[in-house]
Structure formats: structure tokens, C-alpha cells
Amino acid sequence: MEINSDGRMRAITDTSFYKNQTRIALRNCGLINPEVIEEYIANDGYMALAKALTEMTPQEVIDEVLASGLRGRGGGGFPTGRKWQFAADAKGDIKYVVCNADEGDPGAFMDRSVLEGDPHSLLEAMTLAGYAIGAQEGYIYVRAEYPIAVKRLNLAISQARERGLLGKNIFGTDFSFDLFLRLGSGAFVCGEETALLASIEGKRGEPRPRPPFPANKGLWGKPTIINNVETYANIPVILLKGADWFGKIGTEKSKGTKVFAIGGKINNTGLVEIAMGTPLKEVIYDIGGGIPNGKKFKAVQTGGPSGGCIPAELLDMPIEYDTLIQAGSMMGSGGMIVMDEDNCMVDIAKFFLSFTQEESCGKCPPCRIGTKRMLEILDRITKGEGKEGDIELLESLAKSIKASALCGLGQTAPNPVLSTIRYFRDEYEAHIKEKRCPAGSCKALIHYEIIADKCKGCGLCAKVCPVGAISGEKKQPHVIDKEKCIKCNSCFDRCRFDAIRKY
Amino acid sequence: MEKMVSLTIDGQKVEVPSSSTVLEAAKKLGIKIPTLCYLKDINEIGACRMCIVEVKGAKALQASCMLPVSDGMEVITNSPKVRESRKVTLELLLSDHNMECPTCVRNLNCELQTLAEELNIKSIRYPGEKHAARYDDFSPSIVRDTSKCILCRRCVSACHDVQSVGVISPNHRGFNTVVAPAFDKSLAEVACVNCGQCIMACPVGALKEKDDTDKVWAALADPEKHVIVQTAPAIRVSLGEEFGEGRGAIVTNKLAAALRRLGFDKVFDTDFAADLTIMEEGSEFLDRLQNGGKLPLITSCSPGWVKFCEHNYPELLDNVSTCKSPQQMFGAIAKSYYAEKTGIDPANIFVVSIMPCTAKKFEAKRPEMNSSGYQDVDVALTTRELSRMLKEAGIDVSKLPDEEFDEPLGISTGAAAIFGATGGVMEAALRTVYEIVTKKELEKVDFHDVRGLEGVKEATVDVDGIKVNVAVAHGLSNARKVLDKVKNGEADYHFIEIMCCPGGCVGGGGQPILSADERWDLDYREARAESIYEVDRNMPIRKSHENPAIQALYKEYLGKPLGEKSHKLLHTHYNERPYFDTK
Ligand SMILES: Cc1cc2nc3c(=O)[nH]c(=O)nc-3n(C[C@H](O)[C@H](O)[C@H](O)COP(=O)(O)O)c2cc1C
Ligand code: SF4
Ligand code: SF4
Ligand code: SF4
Ligand code: SF4
Ligand code: SF4
Ligand code: SF4
Ligand code: FES
């Protein structure tokens, strides 16, 4: 709750958390009842579809999307209009529209909020896409772990069918289109587009090389467009308000807004939708409210588990597809995890890599074995068993994996490692050469010691120690038996005299 | 005409059809790009990343085996980045590989080993933990050892697409991925037909035949045992390959010499039993045709096919000929007629067969194959196992003189020889059936319509006014097409030959293994089949019913085809089998 200077509570949309946001994709989320189609319609819902079907040719729809400069919000940032154009130009009578609602990044829930809060916007956009490329059917591939989303999508689809917004001869035109749900099993790699299509076809969900791209050879070998939920959520607005309006938001190469899920060591966590080009600093300090407990900001990981860590010196950077890539990270689906001085960057890299390594589908050796080897090296570094040359080994492996892995998962998995080496090489070196974790986070490398001068001999530490590693006479300085200590941190937390030192 | 596309590879211009891949275009220029998972026309999945190249304008390296060519494309196959990436990938594969080359069945014939040599791998920079390996030797035919598997999935495509059996697939994910039957079952517990086509596709030693050579060495060393050997038609055109002869080289008489030197008491020929099969099966066909029996009749000499039918088409089991395969007929005759004739106690006769085939190991162990009172065949070895025994004994087939097979079970005709190639059984049967029915001599014994590598071949043969519709299929996915037609009443066949393996036994799962590279340049089945027909052409007798040893066998012992003794010794029955088959 924020209070105005006159002492009154500030309206929610005026709080610093909200007022710096621009809501397009999330325009209806939380404001309308997603289970009542009339509420969507009352907020201009299905107006774009009506306009397109009655006043525009399919090519004009594509041209509008092209002109808007909209790029995919699912990770790759590929221009949406161009993708649609490829599929429209591809030969064939049967074509498909697919929505990627697999949202596998841990901690991400931007797509979920659209699916749950505004399902009709997705239906409208996919129908528009179907009209644009000449498809008759569409599939929404949604995580089975999103039961509310599944329920609301099913409800929305039946409502749309009842009102003739899906099905035969929509708006009395000769355009017919219908939508179906497919539930994903939850494997992260099934979010990769070719794996997703394989999974819809009932095959093992694993990627295949591209080209051919889905726009030419997609679902069951037919031309297919596949877009992310948030990408679609922008479409009706673009068609109603026009590409010009949309183009004014954002930067030259990254138009519009992006939804981020902010988490980690930050005061305001949650979903925010901001104009592209907003500096990182503004997101972290103005919207996110800065770092809790007066700690120092260290880095922010963008782009999900295969993004990269961006250090404090780059905080002025505007958030755009290309600047993020230059910084060794990426937009991804919009994850943003803030780290403070207590986070060890080697450990962070290990944490993210262990996620992607676990999620590797196993098809190609660079990812299947390469990420495992990188993880083994990181593991030994955090255990104080790192060897001279390990950083170089990591770099050469990472470069090779990025260049040769089959799909985006392997091609980006090394990013957290490369970016932390790039910005925090000294931390790696401290682990390897001095067997020291500067953030005091890698258990194997921390030691606890009682500073005799400060110890009052109160004995609290000895009481909390679960393994009886602390001994000493009352009122005399205590000592820690390093052999017995399991580094649980209890004594450190407990001592009221700052007499316990971690090093 | 297909559109041509022009591109540059390593600075050289090349023109290729627009549907080509970069790998194919490079091959046209004589540029070698290393591959591991690629098996032309069978496995094109872009998994191993060995064949990566740099493409101007593309960020990541691209797998050339899957990359379509395009006009004006500029490709570099040999840059420092490409070489380094390939090396890293190979080192990674080796870091998760059980490198025991000297004791590995694929030593010196291993694509991984060759590649390590070609890419100049001197050490493995990234050693680490290995995946939890599975060793599965419960199947009588196939041994799986995932500690050597590189997950190229060539076997998976062979099993799924070539054979339409589909019992092996990637299980689990990521680093824990293994190619295995569902639920990590053993191959012995699923609907595997033991064809060994997965072995033929495997670039490494992760799949191999169950080695039974020790049993044969032991029998040969046992003075109590009368050890006799039979060799299948297709061995005489493949064994030479293991001794530096060309692909498909004919070594019939050197083979006889080699077996004699190994110490077999008699060197016989499965071809003898193939002629016998024709007598029985031809008669069975005529009987069904003339007496309203179940048609179409389907051949039964290929045990891979028979097991496939038991699992997948139980409703057609009555169509399958009741004749045992030549291997089993041989064993049954050896332990009855031959034993009686020579006065040797059949309990002491040990029958070894040399087969192009891994499924023959399973067949030999079928419990019903013991009508003489003894198991028809004691050990079935593959061509590869025989070659290993010969090498172990220091016998170089290419240096041996020509020798003959022993009498009487070594006497055969050209009709029997062609059993080794797809269409051969049908052709041999037609030669005999025609002459029996018409009582006229065939003007031309060659039936070209049923020869060749077309997946399904059809022909209509006029036998004394009766139009006999025949079909020939090889490779089980082709067999499926024919069987589905029969099942759905869409075909009007009288007689069908099915061979489990593509090309027939010349392409059997126990035959010498070629690398993917060599397979691209040469169709080994074609080379071996050509030789088979040459063997046939050069035989003095080319029709089974004219085989004097067969005529003597009927006269002295069996009586007539389909007679009482034949029924007991030479015919069998089949059982429906479920998908998960633990028997
Ligand atoms: C490993 C991996 C996981 C992915 N997961 C998702 C996902 O969960 N949701 C998504 O929309 N895109 C995901 N993508 C990106 C898709 O492959 C694809 O680029 C995207 O759906 C295209 O839609 P867009 O152009 O609208 O972004 C993933 C990509 C990779 C490589
Ligand atoms: S990069 Fe990883 S996830 Fe992608 S295909 Fe290769 S093994 Fe599978
Ligand atoms: S860190 Fe935990 S185990 Fe170690 S001395 Fe303190 S309380 Fe005891
Ligand atoms: S599979 Fe090849 S590399 Fe592996 S042990 Fe056998 S011969 Fe050596
Ligand atoms: S032996 Fe044949 S059926 Fe069995 S797994 Fe191999 S290819 Fe498949
Ligand atoms: S068993 Fe052989 S063919 Fe099959 S995936 Fe492994 S290495 Fe490849
Ligand atoms: S075709 Fe020949 S090699 Fe193949 S399973 Fe049948 S008998 Fe064996
Ligand atoms: S990826 Fe091309 S040969 Fe394996």
C-alpha cells in the first residue's frame, strides 16, 4: 500500500509498481471476468476479428502485423508478421495455427495469467491468424499443470462456438475455423516448437533440425504457425488500434511491451508489463522497489534458465531483444531474477545449468553429455576441487555446445555460465585458486570461527549447534571444532555479539 | 526434371538437384563430411551433430545431413570452428563410452573408432560420470550393451521404419537416455522378431549377436560327438567379404574347405534342405490349390517373419505353410535319415548351422523343433561368428583351395541357391510346381518378375491354364503392406513369399556389417544377390525335384511329399504371441 502526501491511500494504478507499466497483453487481466464472454466483448473483444473478416483481406491482416514490428514473445523474438507471411505463402490447402502455452521456465507465469485472465483474447488472435494464413484449425498446447487455464480455455472455446465466433462461417463470412486443446506433459523441451509439434502428433517430444521451419512443414507436415500466448495477446489490439499506434511504444527494433515475472532478491515480486526500452534500473528500483534488507544489488538473470546474468554496471541498459543478447543474455519468455551480494555467481550458474541439464531431451551429444560435463566441472569448483584450467575448459565446452547443439535448449544452456564468467571471473578464480567463496555461499568453502575478543561466552551457539561442535566454559570464549562442523549457519544466526565469523 | 541449385562448398561450385542436402552436395564434390547418425534413406534425424558445417549467414553450425541446399549458399566444411566442434562432440561421446576396443566385437569395424582416428583424437578433455548402462543378453539372438551405445538411433529407425516392428526406442531423457524396449524390458520379453536389422544398422558394438562359438568349439573338441555343419545359401556370397574378397564374392567351394579345416566331421549344405523344402512346400501349395485349402499360402522359411506373424497377424497363421524352414528340415533329416543311414546314434550327432541370420538362433531353440526325438539344430551361428572362428583358427578363406560339400546332404541345385535372395523361394517353387503340374519341361527357368529389390513384387504365372497370382515381399514393412491387403480381402494372391530381411537372406542380420559410408556407395544386397543368381546359373541342376539326393531321400525313407514321415519330421505349427512375450 502506498500513501499519498495528503495521507490518503494511493489508487492502485498510481502506485509506483503500476504507473510505470503499459498494459497491452495484460489489458484485461484482473479487470474482466474471464468466464463471461460478454465482459470480453464489452471491452472491444472480437471487434478486431469482425473488422478483419469484413473489411480486410488476409494479406492486409499480415501487413498490419508486419508493420507493427511485433516480435515473438516466446523467446526467439522472430518478427511475427514475417512468420505469418511465410506460412501464408507456403503451398498447401491444409494449414494450422498453434499456440505455445507450454510455459516451462521455472517461476514464469505471464502466459498463465493471460490464459486464466483473458482466454478470449487468445482465441480471437488465433482465429485472426487462421484467417491471415488460410488455416482451418488451430491447437493450443497448454501445460497440464495449469488446470484453471485449461478449464477457462475449454469454457471460452465453447462460448465462442455458441456465438459463432469459432466454427463454420464466422461472422457470416465464408471463413471457418475451430480450435482444440492439447495438454502437455510438462517437459521443458516440449516448449521448443518442433518438439511441441511432435508432441501434438503423439510422438516423443523432442526437437528436430530446422529448416524446414514449421511455417513450411509443421504439424503433420503442413504449413503451421506457432506463436506464444503473449504474442497472440497483442494481436487484437494491434489490429484495432493500428500498427502505427503500436509502433510508437517501445524502441526502433523492439516494439510494444513485454511482460516480466520479477523474482529473487527484490521487494516487489510479480508480473509487470513495461514498454520495451525501459532501462533495467527502472524495473528493478522503481517498479521492483529495490533490494530488501539494505543488501547490495549484484546481478539480474533475464531470459529464464538459459539466459544470462547482467551485472550492476549494465543497469542503465534499455530492455530490448538485441541489447540483452549483446550483454550475453536474452529476452527469453520474460523471467527476471534479482541477485544480491549473498549470491555466489558460480553457484547461480550451476543452479541454472542443472535445470537445463535435467531437461535435456537427450537427442544430441553436445547437450546430453556436454551440459553434464559442464555441470560436473562447476560442481567441483563449488566444492573447492576446481583445477587450474577449469574456466578455460568451461569456456571451450560452452562455445562448442552453443554452436553445435540441435535445438535452442542446448544452444542457450551455457549462457548462465558464460555470462557469469564474463562478468564475475574473479569469483570463479577465488573458488579455484584460493578455495574461497567470496559470497560465503558455497558450503564446502566456508569455515566458521569464533572471534575470541568478541565472544562473551554466553553459550547460545553451543546450544543451537546440532552436532555439538562448539565447546567452552561459561563466560569464556568458545571454540568451534572444524572437523565436526556441518556448516549449518545456526550459530552465526544466533550469536548476538557478532562473534562468529564466516570466511 | 528437378530444378538444379548451385552452391559453393569450400570455395568449389557445385550443381545439385534442389531436393539434395548439403551432405549430398559435398559428396558430389568428393568432400568428406564425417557422419555418425546418418544412414541414408533409413535414419536422417540430425542427432549426432558430427556432420556440422558453417553456412554463411547462419549463426549456429548446421547439420549438413539434414540441411537442404539453396541457391547461392556458401558452405565451409573445414574451418577451425567446425573442426573443434566436431572434436568436442566426439570427445563427449567417448567420455560416456565404454572404450574396450580390443575385446569389442566391432574392433576394426567400428564407425566411432574410425572417426576417432580420422579426427585425430588424442585425449579426452572432458572425462566424467557415465550413464547407468544396461546389458541385456536374455534374447537367444540379440545382445544389447548400452555402455557402447552412442544414441544415434539407427537401430530405432531400422526396427520401426524398415521392419515396422518398433520394439526399441529411446527411453528416459537427457543424460539417462537409453535405447531399449518399453519399460526397460529385455528384448526377449517383447515382440522383437530377432531379425538383427538393428545390428546391421548399428555403427558400434552396442548391438551384437549372441555369441555361440564356444559351444561349437566344445562340440568339435568332443570325440563322442559327430559334428556336422550346414551352410545357408547366402553364406557363400558373403563370407568372403570378411577375408578381403569383394562384396558378394562367391566362395562356395572355399567355404566347404574352410569348414572342413575347422574340424567338422561332415560338411553339408542347407541348400540340400532347401530343395527338400520346395518338394514339401510346392506339394502343400498344390494340395491347397486343388483341394480348396486355405489360400494364399505364405512361405515359412524366414523365422523373423514367422515370429512377426505370430505377434502381429495371428489371424493369418493358417495361411503360413506348415513346412519347417530348410535349417530345421536339415536337422530333422540329419538326426533321422542320416543317422539311420550311417548308423550313428542321433544322440551323438551335433548339428551346427551357419546362417546369415540371428533369428535362426531363436528358431533352433523353439521347443517344438524336436520331432526326431532330438532338437533339430544344436547351434546356429551367424556368418560373422563363423568368420571369427576361422580367424581364431588361422584359416584365411581367400587362400584356400576349392573343395566340394559332402554327400548326401551336401548335394543341391540352383533352385536352392536362390533361396538366399528375395524372390528366390518363389522362383524355385514355381520351377518345380510348374513341371509337376504340367509334366512339361520349363522352357525358361528364370522368373525375372520376382527378382530384384523392389519392396513388393507381383506376378501372374500361367500353370497349365491356371492363373497363379504370386506376391513377394522382403523387409517387414513391405510384408505389412501385402498382409494388410490379404487381411482386408483386397488381394487375390495364391502364393506369397515373405522374407523378413530387406533383400532376403543376403541382407540378413547375421551377415558382414558395412559402414554407413560404404552402404551409401554400394547396395550390398544387390551385390550379393547378383552372385546368388550367378551361382544358380552355373549349377548343372537348377530344379529342386531333379536333385538326385532328394529323390533318393524320398525313395529310401520319406516315401512321398506330405507323407506320414514328412508330416512328423518336416512340418510344424505356430502360436499366437502377445506383445509382451515372456516365453
Ligand atoms: C527449450 C525451449 C523451450 C521453449 N519453451 C517455450 C515456451 O514454454 N513457450 C513459448 O512460447 N516458447 C518457448 N520456446 C520458443 C519456441 O520454440 C518458439 O520459438 C515460440 O513458441 C515461437 O513463438 P513466438 O514467435 O510467438 O515467440 C522454447 C524454446 C526452446 C528452445
Ligand atoms: S539441444 Fe538438448 S534438448 Fe535440444 S535436441 Fe539436443 S539434447 Fe535435445
Ligand atoms: S555452523 Fe552449525 S555445525 Fe557449525 S559450529 Fe555453527 S552451529 Fe555448529
Ligand atoms: S564400439 Fe567401437 S569404439 Fe567402442 S569399444 Fe567397440 S570398437 Fe571400441
Ligand atoms: S532384432 Fe529386429 S525386431 Fe528385434 S529389435 Fe532388432 S530390428 Fe527390432
Ligand atoms: S544401439 Fe547402436 S544403432 Fe542403436 S542407438 Fe545405440 S549406437 Fe545407435
Ligand atoms: S530373411 Fe533370412 S536372414 Fe532374415 S530372418 Fe529370414 S531367414 Fe533370417
Ligand atoms: S547429425 Fe548429421 S550425421 Fe548425425
Side-chain angles (χ1 to χ4, degrees):
Chain A
M1 186 168 72
E2 287 183 29
I3 308 293
N4 280 332
S5 50
D6 60 6
R8 282 193 277 170
M9 200 178 93
R10 206 170 282 172
I12 184 134
T13 43
D14 288 336
T15 58
S16 56
F17 182 70
Y18 276 96
K19 79 167 190 268
N20 292 303
Q21 299 193 39
T22 311
R23 294 204 155 201
I24 299 177
L26 301 179
R27 63 192 177 280
N28 291 326
C29 293
L31 300 177
I32 66 169
N33 182 341
E35 300 193 356
V36 180
I37 186 171
E38 286 75 15
E39 292 203 18
Y40 179 66
I41 293 173
N43 284 281
D44 295 343
Y46 291 105
M47 295 277 284
L49 183 61
K51 178 178 163 190
L53 292 192
T54 55
E55 297 168 22
M56 298 168 82
T57 64
Q59 187 57 46
E60 282 167 353
V61 173
I62 296 177
D63 287 341
E64 199 68 28
V65 177
L66 266 172
S68 74
L70 177 66
R71 293 170 68 172
R73 303 298 194 236
F78 191 80
T80 307
R82 271 178 58 203
K83 192 184 279 190
W84 291 20
Q85 188 73 65
F86 286 138
D89 293 346
K91 285 199 190 70
D93 296 332
I94 299 175
K95 296 180 183 178
Y96 295 101
V97 172
V98 173
C99 172
N100 189 340
D102 194 44
E103 196 160 55
D105 284 16
F109 54 106
M110 20 279 171
D111 293 348
R112 177 183 181 169
S113 55
V114 173
L115 299 170
E116 292 182 357
D118 196 14
H120 283 286
S121 71
L122 176 60
L123 271 43
E124 183 179 7
M126 291 181 72
T127 312
L128 280 163
Y131 178 66
I133 68 160
Q136 303 77 25
E137 277 180 14
Y139 289 87
I140 304 171
Y141 187 89
V142 57
R143 293 171 78 71
E145 290 92 331
Y146 285 177
I148 298 171
V150 171
K151 182 179 141 232
R152 293 197 176 150
L153 282 168
N154 274 322
L155 184 67
I157 289 174
S158 62
Q159 290 169 343
R161 282 188 191 139
E162 275 164 26
R163 283 167 182 72
L165 298 166
L166 276 179
K168 291 237 173 314
N169 305 104
I170 299 173
F171 285 123
T173 64
D174 54 11
F175 174 64
S176 303
F177 187 78
D178 210 348
L179 279 174
F180 307 93
L181 286 196
R182 284 289 178 272
L183 300 196
S185 60
F188 175 63
V189 74
C190 284
E192 195 280 339
E193 56 187 25
T194 58
L196 186 149
L197 296 176
S199 176
I200 294 182
E201 291 173 6
K203 301 187 194 135
R204 179 174 156 106
E206 59 183 24
R208 61 153 176 84
R210 301 168 306 172
F213 287 92
N216 289 312
K217 255 187 168 185
L219 199 55
W220 292 296
K222 308 291 182 202
T224 302
I225 56 166
I226 168 162
N227 280 116
N228 164 262
V229 176
E230 189 185 332
T231 314
Y232 281 122
N234 281 288
I235 296 286
V237 187
I238 289 174
L239 285 179
L240 266 190
K241 298 197 180 174
D244 286 346
W245 170 84
F246 188 80
K248 292 204 180 84
I249 306 163
T251 67
E252 196 199 329
K253 286 193 172 158
S254 301
K255 301 285 185 202
T257 59
K258 177 78 193 87
V259 183
F260 287 94
I262 317 184
K265 306 275 184 64
I266 190 150
N267 278 314
N268 306 329
T269 58
L271 280 195
V272 300
E273 181 170 357
I274 49 161
M276 295 276 192
T278 307
L280 262 174
K281 199 179 205 161
E282 205 177 305
V283 178
I284 288 163
Y285 288 99
D286 300 342
I287 300 175
I291 317 299
N293 306 326
K295 296 271 182 181
K296 237 176 84 194
F297 170 90
K298 188 172 200 175
V300 55
Q301 162 95 0
T302 72
S306 38
C309 287
I310 298 169
E313 54 276 25
L314 296 182
L315 271 186
D316 288 329
M317 193 176 81
I319 299 174
E320 288 180 83
Y321 288 101
D322 311 280
T323 50
L324 286 171
I325 287 183
Q326 275 159 28
S329 183
M330 60 185 202
M331 186 77 80
S333 59
M336 206 178 260
I337 296 175
V338 179
M339 284 156 272
D340 71 7
E341 56 190 290
D342 290 343
N343 289 111
C344 164
M345 298 315 282
V346 186
D347 193 49
I348 287 287
K350 186 176 123 188
F351 171 79
F352 286 118
L353 187 70
S354 63
F355 175 82
T356 38
Q357 194 268 330
E358 273 289 312
E359 294 294 334
S360 161
C361 82
K363 187 167 176 179
C364 71
C367 169
R368 177 180 77 239
I369 311 173
T371 56
K372 172 88 176 168
R373 296 294 172 252
M374 286 184 69
L375 196 59
E376 286 167 347
I377 298 172
L378 287 172
D379 191 53
R380 71 175 181 240
I381 295 178
T382 57
K383 287 199 173 122
E385 293 156 14
K387 292 184 258 195
E388 201 64 52
D390 272 354
I391 300 179
E392 292 71 22
L393 216 49
L394 280 173
E395 285 176 320
S396 74
L397 250 179
K399 252 170 56 191
S400 188
I401 296 169
K402 275 178 77 88
S404 60
L406 194 165
C407 86
L409 192 152
Q411 287 162 6
T412 56
N415 283 346
V417 181
L418 282 176
S419 69
T420 48
I421 293 181
R422 175 163 158 194
Y423 298 118
F424 302 95
R425 198 180 183 101
D426 52 335
E427 285 196 33
Y428 280 82
E429 282 169 351
H431 282 76
I432 295 170
K433 294 187 181 146
E434 303 160 35
K435 309 291 174 212
R436 181 173 68 84
C437 173
S441 140
C442 292
K443 258 194 176 181
L445 299 183
I446 339 170
H447 310 283
Y448 290 82
E449 192 178 63
I450 295 176
I451 308 163
D453 285 354
K454 289 192 177 173
C455 180
K456 306 270 187 230
C458 70
L460 269 182
C461 57
K463 263 201 203 110
V464 295
C465 179
V467 292
I470 306 183
S471 57
E473 297 288 313
K474 268 241 162 303
K475 306 235 162 99
Q476 295 297 316
H478 283 42
V479 283
I480 295 175
D481 180 346
K482 286 186 183 140
E483 295 287 301
K484 279 194 187 160
C485 172
I486 56 164
K487 300 166 186 177
C488 72
N489 211 46
S490 304
C491 55
F492 185 85
D493 283 344
R494 201 54 183 266
C495 179
R496 286 176 297 178
F497 306 104
D498 279 343
I500 296 178
R501 183 170 91 94
K502 269 203 270 187
Y503 65 97
Chain B
M1 255 265 317
E2 209 187 321
K3 209 182 121 227
M4 296 297 278
V5 163
S6 157
L7 65 157
T8 316
I9 305 180
D10 297 341
Q12 290 170 261
K13 263 210 156 22
V14 62
E15 272 218 348
V16 289
S18 58
S19 64
S20 312
T21 62
V22 168
L23 183 67
E24 289 166 330
K27 190 175 173 75
K28 194 171 171 196
L29 283 172
I31 295 172
K32 182 170 173 189
I33 298 176
T35 59
L36 266 180
C37 67
Y38 182 77
L39 191 55
K40 193 165 172 51
D41 299 331
I42 294 179
N43 197 48
E44 303 180 347
I45 61 170
C48 76
R49 318 309 289 169
M50 222 56 236
C51 67
I52 46 165
V53 294
E54 249 181 84
V55 179
K56 203 167 163 189
K59 231 176 10 193
L61 300 172
Q62 307 275 318
S64 59
C65 67
M66 294 285 286
L67 184 63
V69 294
S70 60
D71 240 329
M73 194 177 210
E74 285 178 48
V75 178
I76 303 168
T77 72
N78 174 23
S79 68
K81 184 173 172 187
V82 165
R83 283 198 309 270
E84 169 66 6
S85 280
R86 286 182 190 151
K87 276 184 122 145
V88 170
T89 301
L90 194 56
E91 284 177 49
L92 287 170
L93 280 172
L94 292 170
S95 77
D96 187 30
H97 186 84
N98 170 7
M99 289 186 287
E100 25 174 63
C101 299
T103 54
C104 180
V105 68
R106 292 296 290 275
N107 191 25
L108 303 180
N109 182 22
C110 167
E111 293 180 37
L112 184 65
Q113 194 185 47
T114 308
L115 212 54
E117 200 257 326
E118 286 175 356
L119 296 194
N120 198 18
I121 304 293
K122 293 289 175 240
S123 68
I124 291 159
R125 282 169 283 174
Y126 320 102
E129 190 194 324
K130 294 189 164 86
H131 75 274
R134 323 280 201 278
Y135 191 87
D136 169 18
D137 63 355
F138 291 109
S139 157
S141 301
I142 316 279
V143 178
R144 296 169 43 234
D145 178 1
T146 74
S147 74
K148 292 183 180 169
C149 174
I150 57 169
L151 292 174
C152 67
R153 314 218 190 151
R154 282 155 55 163
C155 58
V156 176
S157 294
C159 188
H160 282 251
D161 303 336
V162 178
Q163 295 299 57
S164 74
V165 173
V167 288
I168 42 176
S169 309
N171 279 219
H172 313 289
R173 303 187 73 83
F175 192 69
N176 302 317
T177 310
V178 286
V179 166
F183 312 116
D184 259 324
K185 295 245 176 220
S186 162
L187 271 184
E189 298 172 315
V190 295
C192 167
V193 305
N194 304 306
C195 68
Q197 287 306 311
C198 49
I199 301 178
M200 300 304 287
C202 184
V204 293
L207 291 167
K208 56 187 176 185
E209 63 285 323
K210 175 71 129 311
D211 188 304
D212 289 313
T213 54
D214 282 348
K215 291 181 197 154
V216 177
W217 285 126
L220 287 170
D222 184 345
E224 296 291 301
K225 291 258 184 293
H226 180 72
V227 188
I228 64 178
V229 62
Q230 55 164 324
T231 74
I235 312 300
R236 64 210 68 203
V237 296
S238 65
L239 180 72
E241 297 173 15
E242 296 275 336
F243 294 87
E245 304 275 326
R247 294 290 166 200
I250 301 171
V251 292
T252 317
N253 299 97
K254 294 187 191 313
L255 168 62
L259 292 168
R260 203 160 278 131
R261 277 161 184 67
L262 265 188
F264 286 104
D265 295 306
K266 289 286 175 191
V267 178
F268 291 139
D269 199 345
T270 313
D271 285 21
F272 165 84
D275 282 329
L276 181 58
T277 303
I278 289 300
M279 297 307 293
E280 292 292 326
E281 198 160 312
S283 306
E284 184 184 6
F285 174 63
L286 283 175
D287 181 53
R288 291 193 189 204
L289 188 68
Q290 290 161 350
N291 301 320
K294 189 119 184 165
L295 287 175
L297 177 70
I298 313 179
T299 58
S300 59
C301 6
S302 170
W305 140 243
V306 168
K307 188 160 186 268
F308 180 76
C309 189
E310 290 177 318
H311 284 293
N312 301 287
Y313 292 91
E315 63 274 46
L316 295 182
L317 282 174
D318 287 341
N319 292 76
V320 180
S321 163
T322 57
C323 289
K324 286 183 183 175
S325 73
Q327 156 171 281
Q328 300 304 130
M329 285 198 183
F330 178 95
I333 292 297
K335 293 186 180 180
S336 56
Y337 169 68
Y338 173 76
E340 239 177 85
K341 208 173 153 86
T342 54
I344 301 171
D345 180 357
N348 285 331
I349 296 182
F350 192 90
V351 175
V352 175
S353 53
I354 311 297
M355 293 287 136
C357 181
T358 43
K360 290 283 176 193
K361 290 176 182 282
F362 172 82
E363 184 186 43
K365 288 202 164 76
R366 289 177 78 118
E368 64 274 20
M369 295 290 176
N370 65 350
S371 43
S372 66
Y374 303 92
Q375 200 68 16
D376 296 341
V377 171
D378 294 284
V379 176
L381 296 182
T382 60
T383 320
R384 297 189 294 266
E385 287 166 281
L386 172 63
S387 137
R388 291 204 290 271
M389 287 184 74
L390 291 169
K391 285 178 181 163
E392 193 178 340
I395 300 168
D396 182 347
V397 172
S398 65
K399 301 221 167 72
L400 294 179
D402 286 351
E403 289 181 12
E404 295 300 326
F405 287 92
D406 289 316
E407 293 182 11
L409 308 189
I411 295 175
S412 66
T413 72
I418 58 175
F419 264 59
T422 165
V425 177
M426 181 60 70
E427 182 168 346
L430 289 174
R431 290 180 190 174
T432 289
V433 166
Y434 183 92
E435 294 202 351
I436 291 180
V437 174
T438 64
K439 310 219 163 46
K440 281 188 289 202
E441 194 177 333
L442 265 176
E443 280 170 35
K444 264 186 62 200
V445 297
D446 296 339
F447 289 81
H448 285 286
D449 287 350
V450 296
R451 295 185 182 180
L453 288 177
E454 185 85 32
V456 177
K457 293 163 278 185
E458 293 175 333
T460 301
V461 183
D462 189 329
V463 183
D464 206 25
I466 311 169
K467 295 248 182 288
V468 177
N469 299 327
V470 304
V472 172
H474 57 111
L476 293 172
S477 60
N478 292 321
R480 235 181 227 287
K481 290 179 200 153
V482 172
L483 296 166
D484 285 338
K485 273 200 198 168
V486 172
K487 202 168 121 176
N488 302 328
E490 293 160 13
D492 183 22
Y493 301 127
H494 299 102
F495 198 2
I496 301 173
E497 176 202 294
I498 292 181
M499 288 292 155
C500 171
C501 297
C505 301
V506 288
Q511 294 278 42
I513 298 170
L514 283 73
S515 71
D517 260 353
E518 207 185 341
R519 279 174 77 160
W520 192 350
D521 291 331
L522 168 129
D523 192 329
Y524 60 106
R525 302 163 188 118
E526 201 172 280
R528 292 173 190 163
E530 267 173 29
S531 299
I532 284 258
Y533 288 109
E534 190 182 327
V535 171
D536 170 35
R537 270 198 308 281
N538 294 332
M539 290 293 268
I541 307 175
R542 297 181 64 194
K543 294 167 217 158
S544 298
H545 54 285
E546 293 176 356
N547 180 336
I550 294 290
Q551 289 168 347
L553 168 64
Y554 277 106
K555 212 160 125 213
E556 293 169 20
Y557 189 71
L558 288 174
K560 60 176 191 343
L562 305 186
E564 199 188 316
K565 272 210 175 111
S566 289
H567 255 296
K568 176 164 174 264
L569 290 170
L570 307 180
H571 291 257
T572 184
H573 60 272
Y574 310 106
N575 310 305
E576 180 171 352
R577 292 173 192 268
Y579 182 85
F580 287 111
D581 180 9
T582 40
K583 280 197 297 290

